[in-house]
Amino acid sequence: MKLIVPLRLIFFALPGLVYGFVSKTFSSAKDITKSMASITGSLISFIVFAFFCAQFLYCFSQSNIGSLIALSGAEGLKVLNMPGQLTILG
């Protein structure tokens, strides 16, 4: 697991750099940084979304609210006294 960052660098960044210089898309380090900035700008909304999803999942797991919702739902189904086949089918 400690080698994931160098492996990603080798398998993705280096071929991209080689392709950029061979195809004349990159002519200097400034072109590389401009390209990285444009990619980061397009991914920023996903990064923000992923951050808040991670926070929600962490809070959800720490509070055990999922278990409380499941138990409340089970109690609600018991109160309805419906046959099992109907509750499975929805």
Side-chain angles (χ1 to χ4, degrees):
M1 230 22 211
K2 293 180 180 181
L3 291 177
I4 195 77
V5 173
L7 284 176
R8 288 182 66 139
L9 176 73
I10 291 169
F11 287 121
F12 293 106
L14 289 179
L17 289 172
V18 169
Y19 175 77
F21 281 112
V22 168
S23 67
K24 306 289 188 216
T25 305
F26 300 147
S27 60
S28 67
K30 288 183 181 182
D31 295 331
I32 297 170
T33 55
K34 284 180 188 177
S35 176
M36 290 171 64
S38 70
I39 293 295
T40 305
S42 66
L43 288 176
I44 206 74
S45 60
F46 173 75
I47 293 169
V48 169
F49 178 72
F51 172 77
F52 284 108
C53 285
Q55 294 298 313
F56 172 77
L57 290 173
Y58 176 77
C59 292
F60 196 77
S61 68
Q62 292 297 313
S63 67
N64 290 328
I65 197 166
S67 300
L68 293 174
I69 292 171
L71 291 173
S72 298
E75 290 295 323
L77 289 174
K78 282 183 185 177
V79 168
L80 290 175
N81 200 17
M82 295 168 58
Q85 294 83 5
L86 186 61
T87 57
I88 289 175
L89 294 176

